[in-house]
């Protein structure tokens, strides 16, 4: 019997930064569900809170930032024993419980593989360190596992490459090394924050393919943050769309692309060319500016830019994220009922 | 790495050559040749030298010959025989005058650098990791004082306090009974007991400077993505910080080796006068005043060589610390 409960459920997450100039409400209501063995995309304009959401999951938010409220439910199933649910939002950032999950159960890769790896430690040093943190193995065994992992992510001559420094590898190889590092302890969830943005198109495709392959092998889920709707269409099972710190729509990929519900999602679809799909007509940039994060608009955060806003309602009351009847999609918009 | 060291050594040769030229020019600066000045100097003190001695001197240092040959005789004398010429003020070979002082200066520098490191390392890390905390502000304030108050003033105050409350004086680097004793374990211990205070005072402004640099560097490094990677793999916070950003912020520590020596030579003259330290500073000053040029030139030569070597060692350490330098 397959386990149907979601691996990760983020509910009503709010993460704020308390600056002298005011409070930046970077995440102001994120609801994201990640089923087991699936790929979930987070999309949205720059600054909408994708990275902050991802960092919140691993409690990587630093002062003056803080998770203000919400739950991050992580379901872990030990080999033998009942399923456990942990609310990551309640763990202390540097606590033993949190550190066990970081790297061991949930791993992360980043946009810039060169700066995400230490320039003065060898690739092998950085990978074996992660292995030995989470597994009771000797240095020699850890090295052996690291070599296997490098081999698995497609790095040629891993016995030699393990002793090189990141700056001696090409961009694509670096991201492969980063993937080897993050998957070295076989996590159940991989959070990838724009993992291919810094790479050329061919390498992008290779890295994405590799990630999907490894997902299959390791039975893990992927939370993929990206600007690129084409990437989402090709790789993700589900998508969460974020606007100004809120998840405004969540749906399976096919439904979202065929029938975007939220006016922001619709605008996003019109503004971005989609890979493999002929441009029907002109591209249509979203009108207006993203409001500055100190002064969120009253009511629906999108209303100053929305072409379908309902005067007297949208600029007064915030809509809630609501599941549409008879589907597993959810939308945060007054157009879809109370 | 070996080829890096080799290239560094090759690069050192022209610098050393240049240093020797500078020292030689300094020796040549006063009018008249050395033998004449020597004679004049002795005459002024009511002494005479025989014509023979003068001729021997002229012969030994090639004073009648072209400058090139004089330089050749001078430098080969130093390299192959350790002969640095004569000090006419002290009427002794320079080599018997300077080495004790040079060693003491080096010791003082070394202890001073070590103290600087030991103090600056934890404070710099603390100030960066706990930026804008009360502790950070306090250390920054102390740092400002450390940079702006001259070392000799601190020395005077500390010597006064020490005299008043402990009834001892720290003057010189040895207790009376060891001043001209032969080197022994007891003498070394006596030296260390005297050395730490001047070393501390000497290192004061350097320490403040180093804390400032380490704090700024570390603040930069703490923001880099690899720190997040380190945390995201599950490392404890202290380990993530010490192994990664601190390691990358360490370069200025190693660089101190290179610049601390020249700083000490010039900076320590006043302090050495105040604390009566037998270092090179006062001797160099005196030799320049009395135009005792072989002495002055030799000290400048030895100290420049020491500085070049210090830079060499710090370059090697930097390369060990940072592979990006090694593989460039
Ligand atoms: N350390 C911080 N201090 C203050 N504000 C922050 C901090 N980190 C993020 N923010 C703010 O939080 C908001 C969301 O940022 P976030 O990095 O999550 O955006 P993003 O969706 O990942 O954007 P991008 O696509 O450009 O990566 C932004 O307004 C940003 O200015
Ligand atoms: S709630 Fe109103 S303003 Fe907001 S997206 Fe829906 S229609 Fe537009
Ligand atoms: Mg981001």
């Amino acid at each position: 019997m397959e386990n149907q409960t979601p691996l990760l459920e983020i509910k009503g997450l709010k993460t704020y930064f308390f600056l002298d100039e005011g409070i930046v409400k970077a995440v102001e209501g994120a609801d994201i569900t990640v089923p087991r063995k699936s790929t979930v995309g987070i999309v949205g304009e720059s600054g909408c809170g994708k990275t902050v959401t991802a960092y919140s999951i691993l409690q990587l938010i630093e002062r003056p930032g803080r998770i203000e409220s919400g739950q991050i439910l992580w379901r872990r199933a030990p080999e033998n024993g009942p399923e456990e649910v942990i609310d990551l939002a309640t763990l202390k950032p540097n606590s033993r419980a949190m550190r066990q999950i970081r790297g061991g159960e949930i791993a992360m890769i980043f946009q810039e593989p060169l700066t995400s790896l230490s320039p003065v430690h060898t690739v092998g040093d950085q990978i074996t360190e992660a292995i030995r943190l989470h597994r009771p193995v000797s240095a020699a065994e850890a090295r052996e596992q690291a070599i296997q992992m490098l081999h698995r992510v497609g790095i040629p001559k891993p016995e030699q490459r393990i002793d090189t420094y990141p700056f001696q590898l090409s961009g694509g190889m670096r991201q492969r090394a980063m993937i080897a590092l993050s998957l070295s302890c076989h996590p159940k969830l991989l959070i990838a924050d724009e993992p291919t943005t810094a790479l050329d198109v061919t390498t992008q495709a290779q890295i994405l393919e590799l990630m999907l392959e490894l997902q299959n092998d390791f039975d893990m889920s992927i939370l993929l943050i990206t600007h690129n709707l084409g990437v989402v269409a090709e790789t993700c099972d589900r998508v969460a769309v974020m606007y100004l710190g809120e998840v405004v729509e969540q749906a399976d990929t096919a439904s979202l692309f065929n029938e975007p519900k939220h006016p922001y999602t619709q605008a996003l679809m019109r503004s971005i060319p989609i890979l493999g799909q002929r441009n029907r007509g002109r591209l249509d940039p979203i009108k207006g500016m993203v409001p500055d994060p100190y002064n969120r608009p009253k009511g629906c955060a999108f209303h100053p830019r929305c072409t379908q806003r309902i005067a007297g309602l949208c600029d007064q009351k915030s809509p809630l994220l609501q599941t549409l009847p008879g589907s597993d999609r959810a939308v945060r918009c007054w157009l879809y009922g109370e | 790495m070996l080829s890096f060291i080799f290239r560094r050594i090759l690069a050192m040769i022209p610098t050393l050559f240049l240093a020797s030229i500078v020292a030689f020019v300094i020796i040549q600066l006063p009018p008249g040749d050395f033998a004449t000045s020597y004679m004049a100097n002795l005459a002024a003190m009511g002494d005479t030298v025989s014509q023979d001695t003068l001729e021997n001197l002229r012969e030994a240092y090639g004073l009648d010959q072209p400058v090139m040959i004089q330089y050749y005789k001078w430098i080969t004398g130093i390299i192959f025989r350790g002969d640095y010429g004569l000090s006419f003020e002290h009427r002794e070979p320079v080599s018997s005058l300077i080495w004790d002082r040079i060693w003491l200066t080096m010791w003082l520098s070394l202890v001073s650098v070590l103290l600087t490191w030991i103090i600056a390392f934890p404070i710099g890390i603390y100030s960066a990791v706990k930026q804008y905390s009360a502790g950070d502000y306090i250390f920054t304030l102390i740092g400002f004082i450390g940079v702006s108050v001259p070392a000799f003033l601190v020395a005077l105050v500390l010597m006064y306090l020490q005299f008043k409350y402990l009834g001892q004086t720290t003057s010189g680097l040895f207790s009376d009974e060891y001043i001209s004793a032969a080197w022994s374990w007891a003498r070394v211990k006596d030296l260390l007991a005297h050395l730490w205070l001047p070393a501390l005072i000497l290192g004061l402004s350097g320490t403040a400077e180093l804390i400032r640099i380490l704090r700024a560097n570390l603040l930069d490094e703490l923001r880099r993505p690899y720190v997040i990677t380190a945390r995201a793999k599950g490392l404890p916070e202290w380990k993530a910080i010490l192994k990664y950003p601190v390691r990358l912020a360490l370069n200025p520590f190693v660089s101190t080796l290179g610049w601390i020596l020249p700083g000490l030579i010039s900076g320590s003259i006043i302090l050495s006068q105040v604390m009566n330290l037998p270092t090179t500073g006062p001797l160099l000053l005196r030799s320049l005043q009395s135009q005792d040029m072989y002495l002055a030139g030799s000290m400048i030569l030895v100290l420049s060589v020491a500085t070049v070597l210090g830079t060499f060692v710090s370059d090697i350490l930097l390369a060990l610390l940072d592979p990006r330098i090694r593989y460039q």
Side-chain angles (χ1 to χ4, degrees):
Chain A
M1 199 17 221
E2 271 288 302
N3 193 338
Q4 288 304 316
T5 53
L7 183 65
L8 178 76
E9 251 181 306
I10 304 176
K11 292 182 176 175
L13 177 70
K14 296 189 180 188
T15 303
Y16 295 171
F17 290 90
F18 299 85
L19 307 181
D20 294 339
E21 300 87 342
I23 301 174
V24 179
K25 298 183 172 175
V27 177
E28 177 66 359
D31 292 83
I32 297 170
T33 301
V34 181
R36 287 169 201 277
K37 301 179 197 176
S38 69
T39 303
V40 175
I42 304 183
V43 295
E45 282 164 304
S46 191
C48 69
K50 305 182 294 289
T51 299
V52 174
T53 303
Y55 281 18
S56 300
I57 298 173
L58 283 181
Q59 289 277 9
L60 291 172
I61 300 292
E62 287 180 79
R63 275 186 325 134
R66 187 168 79 219
I67 295 180
E68 202 42 33
S69 61
Q71 290 181 308
I72 302 172
L73 300 179
W74 174 247
R75 288 205 177 72
R76 55 145 74 121
E79 300 262 305
N80 36 31
E83 185 182 85
E84 274 184 276
V85 184
I86 305 174
D87 184 357
L88 301 182
T90 62
L91 294 184
K92 287 237 163 12
N94 197 26
S95 63
R96 179 179 291 269
M98 192 68 238
R99 295 202 315 261
Q100 235 170 30
I101 290 169
R102 289 179 183 169
E105 296 174 28
I106 304 178
M108 196 154 176
I109 59 176
F110 308 89
Q111 176 171 347
E112 215 347 297
L114 181 59
T115 52
S116 305
L117 290 164
S118 159
V120 299
H121 295 87
T122 60
V123 169
D125 179 353
Q126 298 181 61
I127 298 179
T128 46
E129 179 186 41
I131 295 175
R132 299 201 67 195
L133 264 176
H134 297 285
R135 296 185 168 178
V137 294
S138 70
E141 285 166 323
R143 186 182 163 87
E144 198 42 52
Q145 289 178 10
I147 291 176
Q148 271 168 23
M149 204 59 223
L150 287 173
H151 177 70
R152 183 64 198 78
V153 298
I155 291 183
K157 298 198 207 136
E159 310 79 15
Q160 286 155 38
R161 291 292 164 79
I162 191 170
D163 293 318
T164 57
Y165 292 91
F167 62 86
Q168 296 172 301
L169 300 174
S170 69
M173 284 301 148
R174 268 178 223 143
Q175 195 59 298
R176 282 173 198 266
M178 189 70 212
I179 292 175
L181 163 64
S182 58
L183 299 191
S184 58
C185 300
H186 297 205
K188 283 288 153 221
L189 175 66
L190 175 67
I191 302 173
D193 190 352
E194 309 196 25
T196 58
T197 312
L199 304 173
D200 65 75
V201 182
T202 333
T203 320
Q204 269 185 22
Q206 291 170 353
I207 294 289
L208 285 173
E209 195 173 322
L210 173 70
M211 283 172 52
L212 293 183
E213 241 178 77
L214 292 167
Q215 167 174 40
N216 232 339
D217 288 6
F218 290 4
D219 282 343
M220 64 177 184
S221 297
I222 296 180
L223 188 58
L224 180 68
I225 295 172
T226 176
H227 279 122
N228 190 333
L229 283 181
V231 168
V232 171
E234 274 175 53
T235 55
C236 295
D237 305 310
R238 294 184 63 78
V239 192
V241 181
M242 286 189 78
Y243 183 77
L244 219 63
E246 295 174 334
V247 169
V248 294
E249 180 161 7
Q250 198 181 154
D252 64 282
T253 310
S255 318
L256 191 91
F257 277 81
N258 290 332
E259 198 195 340
K261 298 270 189 198
H262 195 281
Y264 175 66
T265 316
Q266 294 166 358
L268 207 59
M269 296 288 173
R270 285 194 301 271
S271 71
I272 295 168
I274 293 172
L275 221 73
Q277 201 171 317
R278 280 236 148 257
N279 272 343
R280 291 164 302 200
R282 284 177 299 115
L283 289 177
D284 197 359
I286 305 178
K287 299 201 174 50
M289 293 284 295
V290 184
D292 95 69
Y294 297 111
N295 304 308
R296 300 175 53 84
K298 199 172 172 222
C300 168
F302 188 55
H303 88 258
R305 301 167 77 187
C306 182
T307 51
Q308 301 168 53
R309 66 170 168 262
I310 307 163
L313 177 62
C314 298
D315 50 5
Q316 296 300 325
K317 280 178 71 184
S318 312
L320 297 175
L321 188 70
Q322 300 217 336
T323 308
L324 298 183
S327 73
D328 62 349
R329 335 181 32 168
V331 187
R332 186 193 289 271
C333 172
W334 287 123
L335 295 177
Y336 301 91
E338 197 349 294
Chain B
M1 191 66 204
L2 276 180
S3 90
F4 177 84
I5 296 179
F6 186 67
R7 271 184 289 143
R8 273 294 136 142
I9 292 179
L10 280 187
M12 241 163 47
I13 292 174
T15 322
L16 289 176
F17 178 66
L18 216 68
S20 75
I21 299 272
V22 170
F24 183 69
V25 168
I26 287 173
I27 292 173
Q28 299 289 321
L29 272 182
D33 73 11
F34 170 72
T36 327
S37 328
Y38 189 51
M39 191 178 67
N41 194 272
L42 290 183
M45 295 193 284
D47 233 330
T48 49
V49 248
S50 71
Q51 209 56 36
D52 273 2
T53 322
L54 282 185
E55 278 317 307
N56 284 344
L57 273 177
R58 286 215 163 87
E59 176 71 17
Y61 296 108
L63 295 181
D64 299 328
Q65 286 160 318
V67 178
M68 301 287 283
I69 297 188
Q70 286 189 38
Y71 172 78
Y72 175 79
K73 289 206 163 192
W74 173 73
I75 196 74
T76 48
I78 289 175
I79 294 174
F80 298 114
R81 284 176 278 118
D83 172 9
Y84 289 82
L86 280 177
S87 155
F88 53 63
E89 194 182 8
H90 301 267
R91 288 201 244 166
E92 267 187 81
V94 168
S95 53
S96 66
L97 284 168
I98 58 173
W99 282 112
D100 253 9
R101 284 181 178 254
I102 284 175
W103 284 126
L104 283 175
T105 305
M106 302 239 181
W107 267 108
L108 190 62
S109 312
L110 199 70
V111 173
S112 172
V113 169
L114 285 179
L115 282 175
T116 300
W117 283 354
I118 292 171
I119 299 170
F121 185 71
I123 296 182
I125 293 176
Y126 174 87
S127 291
V129 173
K130 304 261 182 227
Q131 191 190 10
Y132 302 140
S133 66
D136 179 28
Y137 282 120
I138 292 172
F139 285 128
T140 307
L141 185 72
I142 297 178
F144 273 128
I145 298 172
V147 174
S148 47
V149 177
F152 73 89
L153 212 64
V154 179
L156 284 175
V157 172
L158 285 181
M159 282 161 72
Y160 170 75
L161 291 178
Q162 195 184 25
F163 178 70
K164 179 144 188 217
Y165 294 106
L166 299 175
Q168 359 167 286
T169 50
T170 313
S171 177
L173 285 177
F174 295 103
S175 309
D176 291 342
E177 63 265 40
Y178 288 111
I179 284 186
S180 38
W183 280 106
S184 65
W185 185 227
R187 194 175 188 234
V188 171
K189 273 205 284 196
D190 183 60
L191 172 64
L192 285 178
H194 282 79
L195 203 59
W196 70 269
L197 189 62
L200 190 69
I201 296 170
L202 260 184
L204 218 57
S205 67
T207 308
E209 179 72 3
L210 202 57
I211 291 176
R212 204 180 56 74
I213 298 174
L214 180 61
R215 178 178 179 275
N217 274 15
L218 190 52
L219 281 175
D220 262 3
E221 295 296 334
L222 282 172
R223 277 192 277 272
R224 304 233 190 259
Y226 64 76
V227 185
I228 299 183
T229 306
R231 291 193 187 116
K233 50 167 103 149
L235 278 176
E237 182 67 11
W238 64 270
K239 206 171 172 193
I241 287 182
L242 277 188
K243 178 166 175 183
Y244 294 102
V246 166
R247 165 82 187 270
L248 275 120
L250 267 191
N251 290 9
F253 269 77
V254 177
S255 308
T256 45
L257 273 185
W259 54 253
I260 212 120
L261 195 60
L264 282 182
I265 294 157
S266 53
S268 70
I269 293 182
I270 303 175
L271 183 71
S272 297
Q273 297 285 18
V274 169
M275 299 193 80
N276 186 23
L277 306 175
T279 57
T280 46
L283 188 64
L284 180 60
L285 191 66
R286 175 83 201 111
S287 66
L288 286 170
Q289 283 165 344
S290 60
Q291 300 204 349
D292 192 349
M293 289 334 258
Y294 271 111
L295 185 53
S298 306
M299 272 197 290
I300 287 171
L301 178 68
V302 173
L303 293 173
S304 344
V305 169
T307 307
V308 173
L309 287 178
T311 313
F312 171 71
V313 171
S314 82
D315 279 356
I316 300 287
L317 287 178
L318 267 183
L320 284 175
L321 206 60
D322 191 338
R324 288 169 299 182
I325 299 175
R326 212 181 315 153
Y327 286 101
Q328 75 188 193

